[in-house]
Amino acid sequence: MAVQTGDFKVIGTSPIRHDGVDKVTGRAQYGADVTLSGTLYGKVLRSPHAHANVLSIDTSKAESLPGVYAVITSADLPEPAGGETGGGEGGVQSIRHKTANMLTRGKALYDGHAVAAVAAVDFHVADEALRLIDVEYEVLDPVLDVRKAMESDAPLLHDDIFTKFGGAAADKPSNIAEHIIYEEGNIEQGFADADVVVEREFETATVHQGYVETHSATALWTKDGHLTVWCSTQGAFGVRKELSDILQIPISKIKVTPTEIGGGFGGKTTVYLEPLAAALSKKSGRPIKMSMDRGEVLRGTGPTPGSYQRVKIGATHDGDITAMEAWIAFEAGAYPGSPIGAGCTCSFAPYKLTNFRVDGFDVIVNKPKTHAYRAPGATITEYAVETVVDEICRAIDMDPVEFRLRNASVEGSMRVDGPLYPRIGNVECIEAARDSDHWQTPLEEAPGKKRGRGIASGFWFNWGGTSSATGKLNPDGTVTLLEGSTDIGGTRTSVAMQLAEPLGIPIEDIVPIVVDTDSIGYNDDTGGSRVTYCTGQACYEVAQDMIRQITDGLTDAWDATAGSVQFENGQFSLNGKTANLKEAAEILDDNDVHIIGTATVTPGREGGAFAIHVADVEVDDETGKVEILRYTAVQDAGTAIYPPYVEGQMQGGSMQGIGWALNEEYFYDGSGRLRNASLLDYRMPTALDLPMIDAIIVEVPNPYHPYGVRGVGEVPIVPPPATVANAIFDAVGVRLSELPMAPHKVQKALAENGRGANT
């Protein structure tokens, strides 16, 4: 596919976003805003134990409470069928496990595991009903650490999970769901050829996506067997598929309407409340509305995996990497399916590879089933790799930018899982960081302060998937755009711009609408950095379809021969006669010709995205507090369709990565209870914690997109932990190998290395 070049009229501009007025005035409808006539309100009873057999559930008292219309347990869900469900950023999961995660089937596997649900006249009655449900538990020992879970004598969460390896399964149950290996070359010889070899161990804690809006769903199951669901989701078609699989009803009888979404970051690409609301609606005969509070979100939805890693890298004194090795274990939570594959394949992505081996393990522990979080897996593994790379650079006394340029992956380089990179912007990002004002300006010193600068690279594949769009030409020359990609970060406008550009009309003449699953062709989730890339390409194809139809219509209206009407630069022409889109719409309307363009695309060849970040920090060697003084994010966007949106994604991802680096973690006690299930205790950074993040957009067009687009939403979260860790070392000479690098951990490391204020 040839990439369009030249002077764009719409692409690269910064118009007012189409949904801006609705959102700033409060008119936009989010999940919790949906209320139907006769609505009942649902609540979920959750296990207080991390690991327990559920011996009995007595719901009789709750059912007899005035105002309660329905109570459900797993017995009210169909017996799970075989096969898998889900997809998108969350990956696939067996229907049996997905159903058991909705309502536990005989065993509670984490603190917060759903046990039962009720529907009542209001939330207060529903809360009272939950307290009347009598559950008898047999409490079991939990396993919360990934390494302990891998031991042969560890408490077993499932007796029907056998380690998968190379297409085969082990012969006895295990908490290790999968073992994968990627390798190439001669790693022993590679390390033998190295002048310097560094091997280190790393641990990372479980963290949450931290979306502002909690999960909400409203369901209406009518007497004719049709189910309609309104929910806060990144993928209405994914919700429809999971509902069909869990509830065992045909997809044709399910309609899902996505509401506006108050953040997702991958965490809203699966169902939690939707099947429960549907089952309660079926049982009660009324519409059911359910919303989580913040504690339920933290206890009962999918965070990132915690991890343990060993990384070993060898290099020559000249700065050539000779061998790279990683051993990576991810917590999957209570059911298989961590992003271990993505973590492994992203681990060494910024570097040319000759001799390498990556071992990855998907390990079950007594925590919530993990789910996608912005470049799932990559932040964890590249934190470890980039920290070791920084240590290598210091050991051979080489500038870290020059080391990265010398070893950078380029077009034709191999990724650890085998594919060769197409045209990528890795080198261009490194050069932009090198030439940036931040890198070129010496670190400002302050008397009595310990300051340092760090740098780290990052990669994410990006994903294409499938998108559909429809464009309807209105008589006044405007175009109504129907699309099925939930708008996160302004994608209504970024995809509409790719419809306006080829049609030669201003973006204000496009009316983009995100519609339900009955009103548009199939669309994959808004995730994987795919919407501006893939749905934008669908809009481009819609424009081509509309142009063909308009040309045919004008051919008839102008009594011309086939092929004689031309279209160029927004103008239809025939022998001196011209019409822009508005004029063409009037002509076609007068001739009773209606134009509806459609497209469904599955483009593939997404073109991976690279980033490199620079951070300046100040470390208080008495308290261990780390302050970010300056931060710069450099990233290849391919082509920046809407530059402020690209910058916003880079800044937002960087902020989340800094929170992951310095503050955020799930804290479990010895019995497996989550002790910080609130935003008072789960510490996310605010605007007061960070400086303005400088964003440098690099544009190396993706050759497989008509406008050269690459995804931008995920890779900015990848470099921050390593960037900050390397800056801390530069400041105080201590390596931090555990995330988060919270003040007490920094303080402890300083004391152990004799570098604290009191040592």
Side-chain angles (χ1 to χ4, degrees), residues 8-20 487-498 500-501 507-508 512 531-533 536 635 637-651 695 697 699 705 707-713:
F8 296 124
K9 294 182 173 61
V10 177
I11 288 172
T13 63
S14 304
I16 296 173
R17 58 188 293 168
H18 294 82
D19 56 348
D487 186 344
I488 303 180
T491 52
R492 275 188 185 88
T493 301
S494 67
V495 301
M497 292 170 78
Q498 296 176 74
E501 184 71 49
I507 186 61
E508 292 77 14
V531 173
T532 299
Y533 164 74
Q635 182 174 324
T639 297
I641 297 294
Y642 194 133
Y645 286 0
V646 175
E647 291 179 358
Q649 290 294 318
M650 294 168 66
Q651 292 162 338
I697 302 173
E699 294 184 285
H705 186 278
Y707 294 124
V709 172
R710 300 180 192 272
V712 301

Side-chain angles (χ1 to χ4, degrees), residues 177-328:
E178 185 176 15
H179 177 200
I180 55 178
I181 296 177
Y182 299 111
E183 60 182 337
E184 188 75 24
N186 187 329
I187 194 166
E188 291 80 8
Q189 185 61 51
F191 284 121
D193 292 341
D195 296 312
V196 174
V197 176
V198 175
E199 182 175 13
R200 296 288 180 262
E201 299 178 66
F202 299 87
E203 295 180 59
T204 67
T206 301
V207 302
H208 198 272
Q209 297 86 351
Y211 32 81
V212 174
E213 179 203 24
T214 65
H215 292 261
S216 290
T218 298
L220 176 60
W221 196 320
T222 57
K223 297 296 184 182
D224 62 358
H226 284 78
L227 173 62
T228 305
V229 173
W230 297 259
C231 58
S232 173
T233 178
Q234 292 176 239
F237 288 85
V239 170
R240 185 181 68 171
K241 172 69 163 60
E242 291 187 71
L243 286 170
S244 176
D245 290 336
I246 293 169
L247 301 173
Q248 297 180 20
I249 59 175
I251 276 181
S252 60
K253 292 190 175 183
I254 305 172
K255 180 172 76 172
V256 178
T257 300
T259 62
E260 297 293 340
I261 184 169
F265 314 114
K268 291 182 181 174
T269 57
T270 190
V271 295
Y272 294 106
L273 297 178
E274 292 85 351
L276 307 186
L280 287 167
S281 180
K282 183 179 183 180
K283 195 167 187 177
S284 67
R286 299 269 290 272
I288 303 295
K289 178 177 180 176
M290 304 183 76
S291 296
M292 292 187 185
D293 61 31
R294 184 62 59 182
E296 289 182 291
V297 170
L298 290 169
R299 291 175 64 214
T301 66
T304 69
S307 76
Y308 168 78
Q309 304 172 78
R310 293 194 302 269
V311 171
K312 182 179 179 181
I313 298 176
T316 66
H317 286 310
D318 291 333
D320 295 320
I321 294 175
T322 60
M324 307 183 86
E325 183 176 22
W327 190 100
I328 306 164

